[in-house]
Coordinates of all heavy atoms in Angstrom, one line a residue:
N1337 N -48.9 24.2 24.0 CA -47.8 24.7 24.8 C -48.4 25.0 26.2 O -48.5 26.1 26.6 CB -47.2 26.0 24.2 CG -46.0 26.6 25.0 OD1 -45.4 25.8 25.8 ND2 -45.7 27.8 24.8
E1338 N -48.7 23.9 26.9 CA -49.2 24.0 28.2 C -48.4 23.1 29.2 O -47.8 22.1 28.7 CB -50.7 23.5 28.2 CG -51.6 24.4 27.4 CD -51.9 25.7 28.1 OE1 -51.5 25.9 29.3 OE2 -52.5 26.6 27.4
Y1339 N -48.5 23.3 30.5 CA -47.7 22.6 31.5 C -48.1 21.1 31.6 O -47.4 20.3 32.0 CB -47.8 23.3 32.8 CG -49.2 23.1 33.5 CD1 -49.5 22.0 34.3 CD2 -50.2 24.0 33.2 CE1 -50.7 21.9 34.9 CE2 -51.5 23.8 33.8 CZ -51.7 22.8 34.6 OH -52.9 22.6 35.2
W1340 N -49.4 20.8 31.3 CA -49.9 19.5 31.6 C -49.5 18.5 30.5 O -49.6 18.8 29.3 CB -51.4 19.5 31.8 CG -52.2 20.2 30.7 CD1 -52.6 21.5 30.7 CD2 -52.7 19.6 29.5 NE1 -53.3 21.8 29.6 CE2 -53.4 20.6 28.8 CE3 -52.7 18.3 29.0 CZ2 -54.0 20.4 27.6 CZ3 -53.3 18.1 27.8 CH2 -54.0 19.1 27.1
L1341 N -49.2 17.3 30.9 CA -48.9 16.2 30.0 C -50.1 15.4 29.7 O -50.3 14.9 28.5 CB -47.9 15.3 30.7 CG -47.3 14.1 29.9 CD1 -46.6 14.6 28.7 CD2 -46.5 13.2 30.7
N1342 N -51.0 15.2 30.6 CA -52.3 14.5 30.4 C -53.4 15.3 31.1 O -53.1 16.0 32.1 CB -52.3 13.1 31.1 CG -51.3 12.2 30.5 OD1 -51.5 11.6 29.4 ND2 -50.1 12.1 31.1
W1343 N -54.6 15.2 30.6 CA -55.7 15.9 31.2 C -56.9 14.9 31.2 O -57.4 14.6 30.1 CB -56.1 17.2 30.6 CG -57.0 18.1 31.4 CD1 -58.3 18.0 31.6 CD2 -56.6 19.1 32.3 NE1 -58.8 18.9 32.5 CE2 -57.7 19.6 33.0 CE3 -55.3 19.7 32.7 CZ2 -57.7 20.7 33.9 CZ3 -55.3 20.7 33.6 CH2 -56.5 21.2 34.2
A1344 N -57.4 14.5 32.3 CA -58.6 13.6 32.4 C -59.8 14.4 32.8 O -59.8 15.2 33.8 CB -58.3 12.5 33.4
K1345 N -60.9 14.2 32.1 CA -62.2 14.9 32.4 C -63.3 14.0 31.9 O -63.1 13.0 31.2 CB -62.2 16.3 31.8 CG -62.2 16.3 30.2 CD -62.3 17.7 29.7 CE -62.3 17.7 28.2 NZ -62.4 19.0 27.6
G1346 N -64.5 14.5 32.1 CA -65.7 13.8 31.6 C -66.9 13.9 32.4 O -66.9 14.5 33.5
V1347 N -68.0 13.3 31.9 CA -69.2 13.2 32.6 C -69.6 11.7 32.6 O -68.9 10.9 32.1 CB -70.3 14.0 31.9 CG1 -70.0 15.5 32.0 CG2 -70.5 13.5 30.5
R1348 N -70.7 11.4 33.2 CA -71.1 10.0 33.4 C -71.0 9.2 32.1 O -71.5 9.5 31.1 CB -72.5 9.9 34.0 CG -73.0 8.5 34.3 CD -74.4 8.5 34.7 NE -74.9 7.2 35.0 CZ -74.8 6.6 36.2 NH1 -74.3 7.2 37.2 NH2 -75.2 5.3 36.3
D1349 N -70.2 8.1 32.2 CA -70.1 7.1 31.1 C -69.4 7.7 29.8 O -69.5 7.2 28.8 CB -71.4 6.5 30.7 CG -72.0 5.6 31.8 OD1 -71.2 4.9 32.4 OD2 -73.2 5.6 32.0
D1350 N -68.8 8.9 30.0 CA -68.1 9.5 28.8 C -66.9 10.3 29.3 O -67.0 11.5 29.5 CB -69.1 10.4 28.1 CG -68.6 11.0 26.8 OD1 -67.6 10.4 26.3 OD2 -69.2 12.0 26.3
F1351 N -65.8 9.6 29.4 CA -64.6 10.2 29.9 C -63.6 10.4 28.8 O -63.6 9.6 27.8 CB -63.9 9.3 31.0 CG -64.8 9.1 32.2 CD1 -65.2 7.8 32.5 CD2 -65.2 10.1 33.0 CE1 -66.0 7.6 33.6 CE2 -66.0 9.9 34.1 CZ -66.4 8.6 34.4
L1352 N -62.8 11.4 28.9 CA -61.8 11.7 27.8 C -60.4 12.0 28.5 O -60.3 12.8 29.4 CB -62.2 13.0 27.1 CG -61.2 13.6 26.1 CD1 -61.1 12.6 24.9 CD2 -61.7 14.9 25.5
L1353 N -59.4 11.3 27.9 CA -58.0 11.5 28.3 C -57.3 12.2 27.2 O -57.2 11.7 26.1 CB -57.3 10.2 28.6 CG -55.8 10.3 29.0 CD1 -55.6 11.2 30.2 CD2 -55.2 8.9 29.2
T1354 N -56.9 13.4 27.5 CA -56.2 14.2 26.4 C -54.7 14.1 26.7 O -54.2 14.4 27.8 CB -56.6 15.7 26.5 OG1 -58.0 15.7 26.2 CG2 -55.9 16.5 25.4
I1355 N -53.9 13.8 25.7 CA -52.5 13.6 25.8 C -51.8 14.8 25.1 O -52.1 15.1 23.9 CB -52.0 12.3 25.1 CG1 -52.7 11.1 25.8 CG2 -50.5 12.1 25.2 CD1 -52.6 9.9 25.0
N1356 N -50.9 15.4 25.8 CA -50.2 16.6 25.2 C -48.8 16.2 24.8 O -47.9 15.8 25.6 CB -50.1 17.7 26.3 CG -49.6 19.0 25.7 OD1 -49.3 19.1 24.5 ND2 -49.5 20.0 26.5
T1357 N -48.5 16.3 23.5 CA -47.2 15.9 23.0 C -46.3 17.1 22.6 O -45.3 16.9 21.8 CB -47.3 14.9 21.8 OG1 -48.1 15.6 20.8 CG2 -48.1 13.7 22.2
N1358 N -46.6 18.3 23.1 CA -45.9 19.5 22.7 C -44.4 19.3 23.0 O -44.0 19.0 24.2 CB -46.4 20.6 23.5 CG -45.8 22.0 23.1 OD1 -44.8 22.4 23.8 ND2 -46.2 22.5 22.0
K1359 N -43.5 19.5 22.0 CA -42.1 19.2 22.2 C -41.4 20.2 23.1 O -40.4 19.9 23.7 CB -41.5 19.1 20.8 CG -41.9 17.8 20.1 CD -41.2 17.7 18.7 CE -41.4 16.3 18.1 NZ -42.8 16.0 18.0
K1360 N -41.9 21.5 23.0 CA -41.3 22.5 23.9 C -41.4 22.2 25.3 O -40.5 22.4 26.1 CB -41.9 23.9 23.5 CG -41.3 25.0 24.4 CD -41.9 26.3 24.0 CE -41.4 27.5 24.8 NZ -42.0 28.8 24.5
R1361 N -42.6 21.7 25.7 CA -42.9 21.4 27.1 C -42.5 20.0 27.5 O -42.1 19.7 28.6 CB -44.4 21.6 27.4 CG -44.8 23.0 27.3 CD -44.7 23.7 28.6 NE -45.4 25.0 28.7 CZ -45.6 25.7 29.8 NH1 -45.1 25.2 30.9 NH2 -46.2 26.8 29.8
H1362 N -42.7 19.0 26.6 CA -42.8 17.6 27.0 C -41.9 16.7 26.2 O -42.1 15.5 26.2 CB -44.2 17.1 27.0 CG -45.1 17.9 27.8 ND1 -45.0 18.1 29.1 CD2 -46.2 18.7 27.4 CE1 -46.0 18.9 29.6 NE2 -46.7 19.3 28.6
S1363 N -40.9 17.2 25.6 CA -40.0 16.4 24.8 C -39.3 15.4 25.7 O -38.7 15.7 26.7 CB -38.9 17.3 24.1 OG -38.0 16.5 23.4
G1364 N -39.3 14.1 25.2 CA -38.6 13.1 25.9 C -39.3 12.5 27.1 O -38.8 11.6 27.8
K1365 N -40.5 12.9 27.4 CA -41.3 12.4 28.5 C -42.0 11.1 28.3 O -42.2 10.3 29.2 CB -42.3 13.4 29.0 CG -41.7 14.7 29.7 CD -42.7 15.6 30.2 CE -42.1 16.8 30.9 NZ -43.1 17.8 31.4
W1366 N -42.4 10.9 27.0 CA -43.2 9.7 26.7 C -42.2 8.5 26.5 O -41.7 8.3 25.4 CB -44.1 9.9 25.5 CG -45.3 10.7 25.9 CD1 -45.6 12.0 25.5 CD2 -46.4 10.2 26.7 NE1 -46.8 12.4 26.1 CE2 -47.3 11.3 26.8 CE3 -46.7 9.0 27.4 CZ2 -48.5 11.2 27.6 CZ3 -47.8 8.9 28.1 CH2 -48.7 10.0 28.2
T1367 N -42.1 7.7 27.5 CA -41.3 6.5 27.4 C -42.2 5.3 27.7 O -43.3 5.4 28.1 CB -40.1 6.5 28.5 OG1 -40.7 6.6 29.8 CG2 -39.3 7.8 28.3
E1368 N -41.6 4.1 27.6 CA -42.3 2.9 28.0 C -42.8 2.9 29.4 O -43.9 2.5 29.8 CB -41.4 1.7 27.8 CG -40.9 1.5 26.4 CD -39.8 0.4 26.2 OE1 -39.5 -0.2 27.2 OE2 -39.3 0.3 25.1
G1369 N -41.9 3.4 30.3 CA -42.3 3.5 31.7 C -43.4 4.5 32.0 O -44.3 4.3 32.8
K1370 N -43.4 5.6 31.2 CA -44.4 6.7 31.4 C -45.8 6.1 31.0 O -46.8 6.5 31.6 CB -44.0 7.9 30.5 CG -44.7 9.2 31.0 CD -44.2 9.6 32.4 CE -44.7 10.9 32.8 NZ -44.3 11.2 34.2
I1371 N -45.8 5.2 30.0 CA -47.1 4.6 29.6 C -47.6 3.8 30.8 O -48.8 3.9 31.1 CB -46.8 3.6 28.4 CG1 -46.4 4.4 27.2 CG2 -48.1 2.8 28.2 CD1 -47.5 5.2 26.5
D1372 N -46.8 3.1 31.5 CA -47.3 2.4 32.7 C -47.8 3.3 33.7 O -48.9 3.1 34.3 CB -46.1 1.5 33.2 CG -46.2 0.0 32.8 OD1 -47.3 -0.4 32.4 OD2 -45.2 -0.6 32.8
E1373 N -47.0 4.3 34.0 CA -47.3 5.2 35.1 C -48.6 6.0 34.8 O -49.5 6.1 35.6 CB -46.2 6.3 35.4 CG -46.6 7.2 36.5 CD -45.8 8.5 36.4 OE1 -44.9 8.7 35.6 OE2 -46.1 9.4 37.2
M1374 N -48.8 6.5 33.6 CA -49.9 7.3 33.2 C -51.2 6.5 33.0 O -52.3 6.9 33.3 CB -49.6 8.1 31.9 CG -48.6 9.2 32.1 SD -49.3 10.6 33.2 CE -48.5 10.1 34.8
S1375 N -51.0 5.2 32.6 CA -52.2 4.4 32.5 C -52.8 4.1 33.9 O -54.0 4.0 34.1 CB -51.9 3.1 31.7 OG -50.9 2.3 32.3
L1376 N -51.9 3.8 34.8 CA -52.3 3.6 36.2 C -52.9 4.9 36.8 O -54.0 4.8 37.5 CB -51.1 3.2 37.1 CG -50.8 1.7 37.1 CD1 -49.6 1.4 37.9 CD2 -52.0 0.8 37.6
H1377 N -52.3 6.0 36.6 CA -52.7 7.3 37.2 C -54.0 7.8 36.6 O -55.0 8.0 37.3 CB -51.6 8.3 37.0 CG -51.9 9.6 37.7 ND1 -51.2 10.1 38.7 CD2 -52.9 10.6 37.4 CE1 -51.7 11.3 39.1 NE2 -52.7 11.6 38.3
E1378 N -54.0 8.0 35.3 CA -55.2 8.6 34.6 C -56.4 7.7 34.4 O -57.5 8.0 34.7 CB -54.7 9.2 33.3 CG -53.6 10.2 33.3 CD -53.9 11.5 34.0 OE1 -55.1 11.7 34.4 OE2 -53.0 12.3 34.2
I1379 N -56.1 6.5 33.8 CA -57.2 5.6 33.4 C -57.7 4.8 34.6 O -58.9 4.8 34.9 CB -56.7 4.6 32.3 CG1 -56.3 5.4 31.1 CG2 -57.8 3.6 32.0 CD1 -55.7 4.6 30.0
V1380 N -56.8 4.2 35.4 CA -57.2 3.4 36.5 C -57.5 4.3 37.7 O -58.6 4.1 38.4 CB -56.1 2.4 36.9 CG1 -56.6 1.5 38.1 CG2 -55.8 1.5 35.7
G1381 N -56.6 5.2 38.0 CA -56.8 6.1 39.2 C -58.1 7.0 39.0 O -59.0 6.9 39.8
H1382 N -58.0 7.9 38.0 CA -59.1 8.9 37.9 C -60.4 8.3 37.3 O -61.5 8.4 37.9 CB -58.6 10.0 37.0 CG -57.6 10.9 37.7 ND1 -57.6 11.1 39.1 CD2 -56.5 11.5 37.3 CE1 -56.6 11.9 39.4 NE2 -55.9 12.1 38.3
F1383 N -60.3 7.7 36.1 CA -61.5 7.1 35.5 C -62.0 6.0 36.3 O -63.3 5.8 36.4 CB -61.2 6.7 34.1 CG -60.9 7.8 33.1 CD1 -60.2 7.5 31.9 CD2 -61.2 9.1 33.4 CE1 -59.9 8.6 31.1 CE2 -60.9 10.1 32.5 CZ -60.2 9.9 31.4
G1384 N -61.1 5.1 36.9 CA -61.6 4.0 37.7 C -62.3 4.5 38.9 O -63.4 3.9 39.3
Q1385 N -61.8 5.5 39.6 CA -62.5 6.1 40.8 C -63.8 6.6 40.4 O -64.8 6.4 41.1 CB -61.6 7.1 41.4 CG -62.2 7.6 42.7 CD -61.4 8.7 43.4 OE1 -60.9 9.6 42.7 NE2 -61.4 8.7 44.7
M1386 N -63.9 7.4 39.3 CA -65.2 8.0 39.0 C -66.2 6.9 38.6 O -67.4 7.0 38.9 CB -65.0 8.9 37.8 CG -64.2 10.2 38.1 SD -65.0 11.2 39.4 CE -63.9 10.8 40.8

Side-chain angles (χ1 to χ4, degrees):
N1337 184 17
E1338 297 288 349
Y1339 71 91
W1340 50 269
L1341 183 65
N1342 300 277
W1343 196 277
K1345 65 179 182 180
V1347 294
R1348 183 183 180 91
D1349 293 324
D1350 186 16
F1351 300 116
L1352 174 65
L1353 175 60
T1354 302
I1355 302 164
N1356 190 1
T1357 59
N1358 184 262
K1359 289 182 171 54
K1360 180 179 180 181
R1361 290 274 194 170
H1362 305 299
S1363 177
K1365 290 184 180 178
W1366 282 110
T1367 64
E1368 297 169 8
K1370 202 67 175 176
I1371 293 291
D1372 261 338
E1373 181 200 355
M1374 289 293 97
S1375 59
L1376 275 175
H1377 184 113
E1378 305 290 355
I1379 297 172
V1380 181
H1382 291 323
F1383 294 159
Q1385 184 183 37
M1386 292 301 104

